[in-house]
């Protein structure tokens, strides 16, 4: 299943990157569903879990603004519009999985994102992706846990007479 999920992440990345690239080029005929269908079709013989890809692509697309708000403060010296589109797509996929796919261990999510960056990103992409997603994970696990309130003690009864 892990090799299948790896391929699923590659297909999700190809789909999201193509859509982002075409939108940036002012292509008014971008149809994410058509891109996704075409990309899944290319690998249909090797895929067992198409639902994983659909959830990933649709989730990242739906939550991209929320994900960007989470990611931007982690790398403030790199405005999101200056990050390579492929790296931004990888970051969004990784952040989406860390936040929404609790069934996948965080280290697996980060490792998969780093491997995507090594395969498809620039020379320093994998280090950048690792740093940003590692920080996101640390921030999400460092949040203070709510302290359970202790029941208030009853005031002691006065021994003296008033």
């Amino acid at each position: 299943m892990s090799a299948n999920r790896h391929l699923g992440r590659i297909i999700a990345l190809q789909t999201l990157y193509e859509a982002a690239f075409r939108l940036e080029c002012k292509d008014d005929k971008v149809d994410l569903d058509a891109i996704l269908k075409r990309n899944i079709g290319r690998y249909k013989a090797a895929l067992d879990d198409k639902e994983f890809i659909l959830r990933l692509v649709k989730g990242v697309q739906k939550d991209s603004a929320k994900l960007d708000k989470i990611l931007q403060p982690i790398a403030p010296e790199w405005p999101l519009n200056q990050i390579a589109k492929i790296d931004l797509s990888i970051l969004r996929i990784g952040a989406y999985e860390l936040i929404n796919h609790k069934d996948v261990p965080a280290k697996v999510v980060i490792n998969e994102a780093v491997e995507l960056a090594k395969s498809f990103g620039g020379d320093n992409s994998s280090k950048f992706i690792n740093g940003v997603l590692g920080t996101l994970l640390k921030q999400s696990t460092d949040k203070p846990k709510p302290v359970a309130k202790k029941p208030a003690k009853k005031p002691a009864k006065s021994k003296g007479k008033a």
Side-chain angles (χ1 to χ4, degrees):
M1 172 126 119
S2 64
N4 201 287
R5 285 223 167 159
H6 180 72
L7 178 58
R9 287 180 182 96
I10 291 171
I11 294 168
L13 176 60
Q14 289 174 335
T15 301
L16 293 165
Y17 174 72
E18 179 181 337
F21 182 81
R22 288 174 59 186
L23 285 169
E24 186 175 291
C25 294
K26 310 287 189 237
D27 182 347
D28 59 352
K29 295 177 183 157
V30 176
D31 180 353
L32 189 69
D33 291 330
I35 297 168
L36 182 57
K37 183 178 178 181
R38 183 188 70 232
N39 288 341
I40 287 175
R42 289 179 179 159
Y43 300 98
K44 66 182 171 191
L47 288 174
D48 296 329
D49 192 2
K50 293 178 184 120
E51 187 60 34
F52 172 73
I53 303 166
L54 294 171
R55 279 193 336 248
L56 202 53
V57 170
K58 296 294 186 172
V60 170
Q61 177 197 31
K62 180 173 111 353
D63 292 351
S64 64
K66 181 176 110 176
L67 295 169
D68 290 353
K69 284 181 183 176
I70 292 167
L71 291 168
Q72 184 58 74
I74 296 173
E77 60 280 352
W78 286 97
L80 296 181
N81 64 352
Q82 292 181 11
I83 295 174
K85 293 291 178 232
I86 195 77
D87 292 348
L88 183 56
S89 295
I90 295 168
L91 282 173
R92 285 177 178 159
I93 290 170
Y96 180 81
E97 279 197 273
L98 284 174
I99 294 165
N100 296 290
H101 290 194
K102 299 297 183 188
D103 59 316
V104 181
K107 288 184 178 186
V108 171
V109 171
I110 293 172
N111 185 57
E112 284 289 320
V114 167
E115 291 304 315
L116 289 174
K118 285 178 181 177
S119 296
F120 301 103
D123 292 341
N124 295 316
S125 295
S126 60
K127 292 176 187 172
F128 179 69
I129 300 290
N130 187 51
V132 171
L133 293 179
T135 300
L136 175 60
L137 175 62
K138 184 174 182 341
Q139 287 178 351
S140 66
T141 57
D142 282 352
K143 290 186 177 173
K145 309 238 182 315
V147 178
K149 292 185 178 181
K150 293 181 183 176
K153 292 182 181 179
K154 291 182 181 179
K157 290 185 179 180
S158 159
K159 292 184 182 179
K161 294 183 181 177

